Amino acid sequence: MMTASTKLSALFAAKHDGQPSATQPYDVTLILIALALMSIGVVIVTSASMPVADRLHDNPFYFAIRHGIYIVGAIVAAMVVLNLPMQFWRMTNPYLLLAAIALLLAVLVVGRTVNGSTRWLAIGPITIQAAEPAKLFFFAYLAGYLVRRYEEVTENLKGFIKPLVVFFALAMLLLLQPDLGTVVVMFATTIGLLFLAGARLWQFFALVFAGILAVVALIVFEEYRMKRVTSFLDPWADPFGAGYQLTQSLMAYGRGNWFGQGLGNSLQKLEFLPEAHTDFVMAILAEELGFVGVLAVLGLILWMVLRALSIGNKALEKGRAFDGYMAYSIGIWFSFQTAVNIGASAGILPTKGLTLPLVSYGGSSLIIMSVAVAILLRIDFELRVDGVQAIGRGDSKSGKSKARRKKPILTSASQTKASQAEGGASVESEADEADFSTATVEAKPSAKTSSAEDEGKAGIKAILARVAQEADNG
């Protein structure tokens, strides 16, 4: 009996103790990247905003405190969204599109105007930039549309045009604010998603060409946008007028060199560079941390984008088309918005009012970007849970098959007990069972070729025989 128990203990220890620990339920790498970007944002926003905060509010940490509150709100929102199954987004994405349209219409009616643009909704002490949730809601709708109308999108022009009509309606509402930057980001993400979904190449190139023409027309026929383009092409032609912000940003990049001037030692943040803690936070980061700091932030964002695309690939491979398209859209959105933000501050692109994901100051952007990261984590979580459930189902089936193999042993023991109750040769039967159990325990370990599994089966048989014997003796 003790030998059988020892063998069973050894069997289970060999089977379970040597296995690696269970995989994490969430993508820890993605969480760490997001937290790293937020941490860098807190440091740089605090450094860049102190002079202007001290002048406007007599508190150098005014914007830093608000940014900290936004981060807490973003983490809470991300945790709430993380508990929402992807089925919620699949079922509600048409209603989310209606919510996006309602937000953009509300901005035009009762929105707050700042620096000539009406982009914010004031709800008590809370200010919402409606374009931020509108982007996320539109991408959710687009992912759902590509799932519902996949054949139409890939086979005929009508299915390809329908989502563009929806995009055109949203773009018109955004241009009335005006907010061309958000339109460009949404357009780029729409093009990328349609291409990844399998749209025909001629449709794809025609859409790109039409989009470029539309952007050019919007720039040419709007005077302030034309001034931005001309100042972008030669900012030094008017360094104290139209090119002032870009020239100050370029000077910040130039002073940064390889390793920067040191944290807190920026000169351009001393109210030389406007919007230093929002749209041009990367210029201050470059001045204080240098090329190495810029490269580190770009590397983190690139890592996040690659993780998003990888999660999208895995979702499509497992038949989760909506999840895959949603992950793709988030990856394209983050990458393109980062390119536009840094390109504008470095003089590569015309100036646009877009934040750097998870880094720049701004509550709406920070919360929505955190929600997008939470959606990526949820997609990855559900993919991992599917794998664990599949393994669990396999273990359950193997357990059932083992139970079926044990049934003849139980039947044999019960028949022996019944025959002994009828007055048969009980002493001889007990001796036979004892001999059988002893032979089973001793014969199996002595076989050099027996495996751990065979030893376990032998131990189980011996235990069952022993139980039957003790029951008969009782």
Side-chain angles (χ1 to χ4, degrees):
M1 178 69 179
M2 292 301 295
T3 303
S5 300
T6 304
K7 295 296 182 182
L8 282 174
S9 300
L11 171 66
F12 285 107
K15 185 174 181 180
H16 296 287
D17 293 349
Q19 287 185 347
S21 59
T23 57
Q24 296 290 337
Y26 298 107
D27 189 340
V28 178
T29 302
L30 191 58
I31 296 174
L32 293 177
I33 293 171
L35 292 177
L37 288 171
M38 286 183 177
S39 301
I40 293 171
V42 169
V43 174
I44 297 301
V45 166
T46 300
S47 176
S49 65
M50 290 179 72
V52 66
D54 187 44
R55 179 176 63 85
L56 295 177
H57 304 283
D58 294 326
N59 180 5
F61 297 102
Y62 175 81
F63 292 112
I65 294 171
R66 290 175 67 89
H67 190 68
I69 295 172
Y70 293 151
I71 286 181
V72 172
I75 293 174
V76 171
M79 293 177 66
V80 171
V81 171
L82 192 58
N83 287 283
L84 293 177
M86 290 307 298
Q87 183 66 21
F88 167 81
W89 299 95
R90 296 189 198 103
M91 298 298 294
T92 61
N93 64 83
Y95 306 105
L96 293 176
L97 176 65
L98 296 178
I101 295 174
L103 284 172
L104 296 178
L105 287 173
V107 165
L108 298 177
V109 177
V110 295
R112 175 185 296 177
T113 301
V114 179
N115 295 332
S117 298
T118 308
R119 302 177 183 176
W120 292 267
L121 280 174
I123 305 175
I126 302 173
T127 303
I128 301 173
Q129 188 174 356
E132 296 297 332
K135 282 188 287 189
L136 180 63
F137 295 165
F138 173 70
F139 297 150
Y141 164 78
L142 187 58
Y145 176 84
L146 292 176
V147 174
R148 294 188 298 270
R149 299 288 187 267
Y150 178 77
E151 294 183 358
E152 291 185 20
V153 172
T154 56
E155 294 180 3
N156 60 67
L157 185 61
K158 182 180 178 181
F160 181 80
I161 293 295
K162 284 181 180 179
L164 298 181
V165 173
V166 176
F167 164 76
F168 180 75
L170 293 176
M172 292 300 297
L173 294 175
L174 287 167
L175 290 172
L176 291 174
Q177 295 183 6
D179 189 358
L180 180 59
T182 299
V183 173
V184 172
V185 170
M186 291 175 64
F187 179 70
T189 306
T190 302
I191 289 176
L193 205 52
L194 289 173
F195 178 73
L196 292 173
R200 296 180 180 180
L201 283 178
W202 72 267
Q203 296 175 342
F204 173 75
F205 287 116
L207 180 59
V208 171
F209 182 71
I212 293 174
L213 287 180
V215 171
V216 170
L218 290 170
I219 292 173
V220 170
F221 292 108
E222 197 68 47
E223 184 178 355
Y224 81 95
R225 292 188 186 126
M226 196 64 189
K227 286 182 179 180
R228 284 187 178 181
V229 172
T230 55
S231 64
F232 146 73
L233 295 174
D234 187 10
W236 301 102
D238 188 11
F240 299 103
Y244 177 77
Q245 190 174 34
L246 183 53
T247 55
Q248 297 299 319
S249 178
L250 292 175
M251 283 190 278
Y253 274 98
R255 294 188 74 251
N257 213 323
W258 282 97
F259 300 102
Q261 298 294 318
L263 192 62
N265 293 330
S266 169
L267 292 179
Q268 300 307 121
K269 72 180 182 182
L270 301 177
E271 300 199 61
F272 291 105
L273 176 61
E275 308 294 339
H277 61 293
T278 55
D279 300 342
F280 283 79
V281 69
M282 182 56 81
I284 304 302
L285 186 146
E287 186 180 4
E288 295 188 349
L289 303 181
F291 178 76
V292 174
V294 173
L295 197 62
V297 172
L298 288 178
L300 288 172
I301 295 176
L302 176 62
W303 198 351
M304 178 177 290
V305 170
L306 292 178
R307 287 295 305 138
L309 297 179
S310 174
I311 291 170
N313 282 333
K314 291 179 182 178
L316 290 179
E317 288 174 359
K318 294 191 176 182
R320 291 174 167 265
F322 177 85
D323 299 3
Y325 293 141
M326 193 69 188
Y328 279 153
S329 65
I330 293 172
I332 298 170
W333 169 21
F334 274 48
S335 61
F336 199 80
Q337 184 156 327
T338 300
V340 172
N341 176 273
I342 298 177
S345 65
I348 302 172
L349 296 172
T351 303
K352 288 282 118 211
L354 293 175
T355 59
L356 186 63
L358 301 177
V359 177
S360 294
Y361 175 84
S364 298
S365 174
L366 191 59
I367 291 172
I368 294 300
M369 292 288 185
S370 300
V371 167
V373 173
I375 292 174
L376 288 177
L377 289 170
R378 181 69 197 191
I379 295 171
D380 180 73
F381 169 75
E382 292 191 4
L383 292 175
R384 296 180 187 223
V385 168
D386 281 349
V388 172
Q389 288 176 345
I391 294 173
R393 287 193 294 269
D395 291 343
S396 176
K397 290 180 181 178
S398 63
K400 290 179 180 179
S401 63
K402 290 180 181 178
R404 286 196 295 269
R405 289 197 296 269
K406 294 174 186 176
K407 285 182 180 179
I409 301 172
L410 293 172
T411 304
S412 176
S414 61
Q415 288 177 350
T416 303
K417 182 178 178 180
S419 62
Q420 291 171 351
E422 291 173 358
S426 59
V427 176
E428 293 180 359
S429 299
E430 291 171 4
D432 291 339
E433 289 174 0
D435 292 339
F436 172 75
S437 63
T438 305
T440 303
V441 175
E442 295 178 354
K444 292 295 181 181
S446 64
K448 295 182 180 180
T449 59
S450 63
S451 63
E453 185 175 357
D454 294 331
E455 292 176 5
K457 291 179 181 179
I460 292 172
K461 290 179 181 179
I463 292 171
L464 294 173
R466 183 66 177 175
V467 169
Q469 180 182 352
E470 293 176 354
D472 294 334
N473 291 336

